[in-house]
């Protein structure tokens, strides 16, 4: 028996979440006295996974799987779990894995818990801590099935190096043509930018910027911090910024280490989508803006005065360090 993880990759490189997932699984494996196996699908350099505790890699190389297809990927993961006699399958909370996890759980007739934010509280019975009510609360979930599927919330555990002796094995799951009932026709990506999904720091702005012509300072602040840029729903609806930058409950969820909101009042849907971020900073002229109630740090003032000063100070700090 081993723990199976799905190590996600893009364009031949493992995503950061793959290393967090490996780190988490290794710690769980130590408590259970077992090993960690990763399945990769057209993935990157598998030796990278050994740095974070993966003991074995099942490598799937298949041109049919060059584009993400949830049913086909789920079937591959299911067959890997059966091959390894895995009792615990762990996936991340990326957009792709949010599609995959329930499909894998159903196919394995396994109990499933999403939004996991810590190591198992108990293994007998098996209990985990999860976020609930749009990250406003936590609950303790007990899974009683023999097979279990978990979905780990992003940035909830971190990346921990734990070198292991890795074995590699080519794996050729049986892929049914019926798995390709839905196909990806095209993928549009922003190039040369840090993506919201992978960013540790996100700089987001709202209607307080007054227009798209003022977004230069937001992008400059993001560049200084090595951050991704994002926006509120009204901004994307107005066409000031692409819809791919819309974060919140109705857009992309964000679980960054640092989330900076500039000129965003803090509608409940926006707060719900970014509430998992560890440190939240708000800059707004309105001291009564709802965002201040959930922020770790707040600055009441004009963003057009504060942000340029913040950029200047950060550049000076980086130059000295």
């Amino acid at each position: 028996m081993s723990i199976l993880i799905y190590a996600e990759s893009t364009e031949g490189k493992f995503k950061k979440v793959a290393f967090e997932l490996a780190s988490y699984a290794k710690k769980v494996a130590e408590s259970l006295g077992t090993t960690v196996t990763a399945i990769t699908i057209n993935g990157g350099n598998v030796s990278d996974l050994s740095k974070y505790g993966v003991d074995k890699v099942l490598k799937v190389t298949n041109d049919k799987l060059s584009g993400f297809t949830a049913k086909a990927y789920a079937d591959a993961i299911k067959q890997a779990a059966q091959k390894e006699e895995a009792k615990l399958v762990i996936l991340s909370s990326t957009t792709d894995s949010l599609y995959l996890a329930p499909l894998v759980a159903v196919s394995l007739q396994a109990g499933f818990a999403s939004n996991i934010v810590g190591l198992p509280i108990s293994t007998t019975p098996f209990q985990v801590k999860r976020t609930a009510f749009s990250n406003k609360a936590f609950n303790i979930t007990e899974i009683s099935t023999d097979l279990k599927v978990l979905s780990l919330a992003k940035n909830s555990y971190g990346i921990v190096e734990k070198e292991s002796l890795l074995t590699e094995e080519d794996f050729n799951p049986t892929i049914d043509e019926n798995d390709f009932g839905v196909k990806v026709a095209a993928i549009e990506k922003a190039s040369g930018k840090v993506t919201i999904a992978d960013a540790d720091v996100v700089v987001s702005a709202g209607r307080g910027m007054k227009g798209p012509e003022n977004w230069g300072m937001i992008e400059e602040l993001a560049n200084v911090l090595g951050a991704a840029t994002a926006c509120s729903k009204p901004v994307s609806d107005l066409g000031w910024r692409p819809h791919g930058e819309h974060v919140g409950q109705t857009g992309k969820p964000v679980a960054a280490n640092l989330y900076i909101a500039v000129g965003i009042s803090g509608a409940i849907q926006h707060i719900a989508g970014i509430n998992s971020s560890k440190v939240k900073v708000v800059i707004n002229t309105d001291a009564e803006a709802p965002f201040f109630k959930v922020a770790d740090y707040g600055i009441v003032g004009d963003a057009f005065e504060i942000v340029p000063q913040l950029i200047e100070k950060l550049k000076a700090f980086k130059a000295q360090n």
Side-chain angles (χ1 to χ4, degrees):
M1 185 195 87
S2 69
I3 294 175
L4 179 73
I5 67 169
Y6 167 48
E8 285 192 54
S9 59
T10 182
E11 297 178 351
K13 293 183 179 180
F14 287 113
K15 296 180 179 180
K16 176 187 168 186
V17 292
F19 303 135
E20 181 175 26
L21 208 60
S23 302
Y24 178 85
K26 185 62 175 180
K27 192 66 178 178
V28 177
E30 288 175 346
S31 68
L32 295 175
T34 187
T35 57
V36 178
T37 298
I39 175 173
T40 68
I41 300 177
N42 298 327
N45 182 3
V46 296
S47 64
D48 291 342
L49 295 172
S50 68
K51 300 175 185 176
Y52 307 99
V54 173
D55 301 290
K56 180 179 179 180
V57 175
L58 298 179
K59 299 188 298 181
V60 177
T61 304
N62 190 324
D63 290 341
K64 287 185 177 180
L65 301 175
S66 57
F68 176 75
T69 303
K71 185 65 170 63
Y73 274 48
D75 270 356
I77 295 169
K78 168 196 171 183
Q79 292 174 50
Q82 292 172 331
K83 177 184 182 300
E84 294 299 303
E85 298 182 349
K87 297 298 184 183
L88 183 59
V89 179
I90 310 177
L91 298 94
S92 65
S93 293
T94 64
T95 302
D96 287 354
S97 284
L98 288 173
Y99 281 109
L100 285 174
L103 291 173
V104 172
V106 169
S107 65
L108 290 171
Q109 295 185 327
F112 170 50
S114 60
N115 300 324
I116 306 297
V117 292
L119 294 168
I121 294 170
S122 166
T123 56
T124 310
F126 195 91
Q127 296 179 330
V128 288
K129 183 178 180 180
R130 310 168 54 227
T131 58
F133 303 114
S134 300
N135 301 313
K136 293 185 180 68
F138 298 103
N139 70 31
I140 306 302
T141 297
E142 181 176 319
I143 308 176
S144 58
T145 52
D146 185 39
L147 272 67
K148 303 168 182 66
V149 175
L150 305 182
S151 179
L152 182 68
K154 181 189 172 189
N155 279 339
S156 61
Y157 184 73
I159 296 176
V160 181
E161 290 195 14
K162 184 87 172 184
E163 196 75 34
S164 62
L165 185 62
L166 184 71
T167 60
E168 304 176 24
E169 181 181 328
D170 290 330
F171 180 53
N172 299 298
T174 302
I175 305 298
D176 195 311
E177 287 302 319
N178 291 329
D179 289 343
F180 297 93
V182 176
K183 295 182 180 180
V184 176
I187 298 175
E188 296 181 6
K189 288 186 177 182
S191 59
K193 294 183 178 179
V194 180
T195 65
I196 294 172
D198 297 329
D200 286 326
V201 181
V202 174
V203 178
S204 188
R207 281 183 294 183
M209 295 305 298
K210 299 180 180 178
E213 67 278 3
N214 296 319
W215 232 263
M217 67 179 185
I218 300 299
E219 293 179 329
E220 186 178 3
L221 177 58
N223 287 335
V224 172
L225 292 171
T229 55
C231 68
S232 61
K233 185 178 186 297
V235 165
S236 63
D237 287 345
L238 288 166
W240 293 2
R241 300 297 291 177
H243 283 282
E245 290 190 3
H246 165 207
V247 297
Q249 193 172 36
T250 55
K252 292 183 178 179
V254 170
N257 289 325
L258 172 62
Y259 183 82
I260 302 175
V262 182
I264 299 176
S265 61
I268 190 169
Q269 294 89 348
H270 188 89
I271 298 298
I274 62 91
N275 217 23
S276 292
S277 297
K278 293 182 179 177
V279 177
K280 295 175 280 291
V281 178
V282 59
I283 301 171
N284 202 298
T285 54
D286 180 9
E288 301 300 319
F291 219 130
F292 283 107
K293 295 179 181 179
V294 299
D296 297 284
Y297 301 95
I299 302 172
V300 179
D302 188 346
F304 293 94
E305 296 178 2
I306 294 167
V307 173
Q309 292 182 51
L310 182 57
I311 292 170
E312 183 181 338
K313 293 292 185 181
L314 286 169
K315 284 182 176 179
F317 176 80
K318 290 180 71 174
Q320 295 172 6
N321 294 276

